[in-house]
Amino acid sequence: MAMVCLSDFEAYAKKYLPKIAWDYFAAGADDCTTRDENILAYKRIRFRPRMLRNVSVMDIRTKILGMEISFPVGIAPTGFHQLAWPDGEKSTARAARAMNTCYIASTYSTCTLEEISAAAPGGLRWFQLYVHRNRAASQQLVQRAEALGFQGLVLTADLPYTGKRRDDVRNGFRLPPHMKLKNLEQAFEVCKMSPLDPSVTWNDIYWLRSLTRLPIIIKGILTREDAELAVRHGVQGIIVSNHGGRQLDEGPATIDALVEVVEAVRGRVEVYVDGGIRKGSDVLKALALGAKCVFIGRPALWGLAYKGEEGLQDVLRILQDEFRLSMALAGCASVSEIGQHLVQFSKL
């Protein structure tokens, strides 16, 4: 089967992954309204393409926190990559390095930070942190990541408790016995009581800043008020995210929330977005509305499920080619020419 677009990888993953793994990756919270809205919201945005603009030479590179990436698509933090492919996050790291883009490794990786780092030396990697009740374990993780050369710390802010994902409840989801949360097993075992710390507040950003010199990016911001608080607390970046629709259902689609957040920060920090990106034209829409870069979650897992590192590279390459083509057809020869003038919201 020719893999032409990201939905081809989705269909493959749905067909071949074990049902419990597919359901875990696909799950949204409650009615999955927000999960689905993340995708639908992109369809309400229309382009205003410009003509006769000389797009014979294209430059799709950009920089995030001063580091150049080959195009403005990175890999969002998602857990349990070994459910999709035996090599798990090691394959993800290798694919990101091969495509010269950023991979955000999850606290809930099924490979250790050391394994991820060794798999793709020199790759651009950030580490995503859930703050746990065992603060010493969280501190140790942050310091391990920095020592291993991770270049950013991504604090996930939208998970004081895990959202209700019905299929996971029905399936009694748990990791197979041979898989472990490799970065946490020395500190504690995942138990009946959630190890996540629901008492985390904005003041904990100061605590994190006392532990590391890494830039801090906060993930899970959806409102103007929280965007302003993020800037005030000295973060270097914001990822507009609703956790793929897996937390609070019936919140805003991320592409809709992006506009509010970008207006609030007024260029003081970089703003990124994840959730619902399925085509290169979606990437162009997100950049037009002020995102510096987008991050993909589920599509990266579909790529892994298809052919591991090679499959994930295929997913990234398709997005890269579609993004380049969309830019050219919209009349932009470089990322610096993308702006809000390129889009309008549909009246429908």
Side-chain angles (χ1 to χ4, degrees), residues 13-14 17-29 32 35 77-84 89 106-110 128 130 159 162-176 179 181 196 243-247 297-298 301-302:
K14 185 171 186 178
L17 281 176
K19 182 180 186 299
I20 196 166
W22 169 261
D23 285 350
Y24 173 75
F25 291 144
C32 299
R35 180 198 68 181
T78 49
F80 312 155
H81 288 197
Q82 282 184 352
L83 286 175
E89 290 82 3
S106 171
T107 291
Y108 289 166
S109 296
T110 44
Q128 173 271 332
Y130 291 122
L159 207 126
T162 303
K164 184 178 180 182
R165 304 159 195 172
R166 294 173 186 170
D167 282 343
D168 288 348
V169 177
R170 291 186 185 106
N171 294 334
F173 175 79
R174 60 190 309 124
L175 280 180
M179 284 183 209
L181 292 179
L196 296 166
H243 221 99
R246 294 161 76 81
Q247 283 302 100
R298 291 183 183 95
L301 295 161
W302 305 336

Side-chain angles (χ1 to χ4, degrees), residues 43 54 103 122 228:
K43 299 183 190 304
N54 186 3
Y103 163 41
E228 287 169 349

Side-chain angles (χ1 to χ4, degrees), residues 180 184-193 195:
K180 296 273 189 293
L184 298 173
E185 60 183 341
Q186 287 95 18
F188 55 81
E189 290 298 324
V190 176
C191 52
K192 287 276 193 291
M193 183 181 77

Side-chain angles (χ1 to χ4, degrees), residues 63-67 126 146 151-155 202 205-206 208-210 212-219 221 226-240 261 265-272 290-293 295:
K63 286 185 175 179
I64 53 174
L65 297 185
M67 299 294 294
W126 294 349
E146 182 171 10
Q151 289 150 285
L153 178 65
V154 177
L155 173 66
W202 289 100
I205 291 175
Y206 299 129
L208 287 174
R209 285 171 68 190
S210 77
T212 179
R213 295 184 304 279
L214 293 177
I216 295 173
I217 302 100
I218 189 162
K219 175 179 179 286
I221 302 300
D226 281 344
E228 287 169 349
L229 280 166
V231 173
R232 205 177 309 155
H233 284 81
V235 305
Q236 279 75 46
I238 290 171
I239 303 178
V240 176
V261 170
V265 305
R266 301 193 305 277
R268 291 171 290 173
V269 302
E270 292 186 0
V271 179
Y272 321 109
K292 185 80 171 154
C293 175
F295 289 91

